[in-house]
Amino acid sequence: MPDMDTALKEIMEIDGAVGVALVDHTSGMALGTVGGGKELDLTVAAAGNTDVVRAKLRAMEMLNITEKIEDILITLDSQYHMIRPLTSRSGKGLFLYVALRRDRSNLAMARHQLRRIENDLDV
């Protein structure tokens, strides 16, 4: 089982990856980040996407939806932003945030790879 740093580096190997963060959705803090740089401030992205996760969870609660979120996809002109809440017991309250270049990534393959990495992640 890869640790957090190894898993984040492995996610950055997904074609088109710009940056990745492991985020605590109760505090909005990034527990770990890789990539980003000038084009993407992962600390700001972690905090902002925490609001997205919280809003979706509230909406699901109001609608009495008891299913789990597999992932949330935000499609921009040049990027995909994927949010994947962790489902393991040790990952409760955490989510992975990944930004991908749209012209260099295969969304279906990226989702598959992210699911595999998340399943093996030891937090």
Side-chain angles (χ1 to χ4, degrees):
M1 282 195 177
D3 63 7
M4 176 186 65
D5 292 330
T6 303
L8 295 179
K9 288 175 186 170
E10 192 175 343
I11 292 169
M12 282 301 294
E13 294 174 6
I14 295 173
D15 287 341
V18 174
V20 59
L22 178 64
V23 184
D24 177 343
H25 83 66
T26 56
S27 69
M29 295 195 58
L31 305 177
T33 63
V34 177
K38 286 187 255 179
E39 63 183 301
L40 180 64
D41 184 333
L42 289 168
T43 305
V44 172
N49 284 294
T50 295
D51 292 336
V52 172
V53 172
R54 288 178 187 162
K56 186 59 189 171
L57 290 172
R58 272 193 313 274
M60 289 175 61
E61 185 178 332
M62 288 187 296
L63 294 167
N64 292 318
I65 297 174
T66 59
E67 296 180 53
K68 292 182 180 150
I69 298 171
E70 185 173 334
D71 54 39
I72 298 169
L73 175 65
I74 300 166
T75 306
L76 305 176
D77 290 338
S78 64
Q79 294 181 342
Y80 295 122
H81 290 211
M82 292 176 30
I83 300 167
R84 185 170 183 87
L86 300 187
T87 57
S88 69
R89 188 175 310 156
S90 64
K92 188 167 174 57
L94 304 177
F95 68 88
L96 287 167
Y97 164 75
V98 183
L100 303 164
R101 285 186 184 87
R102 201 169 161 166
D103 63 345
R104 294 190 49 215
S105 62
N106 176 319
L107 185 55
M109 185 57 85
R111 289 183 72 224
H112 173 74
Q113 290 172 291
L114 191 57
R115 183 181 313 115
R116 181 188 51 76
I117 293 166
E118 184 241 335
N119 285 335
D120 294 339
L121 179 61
D122 183 25
V123 196

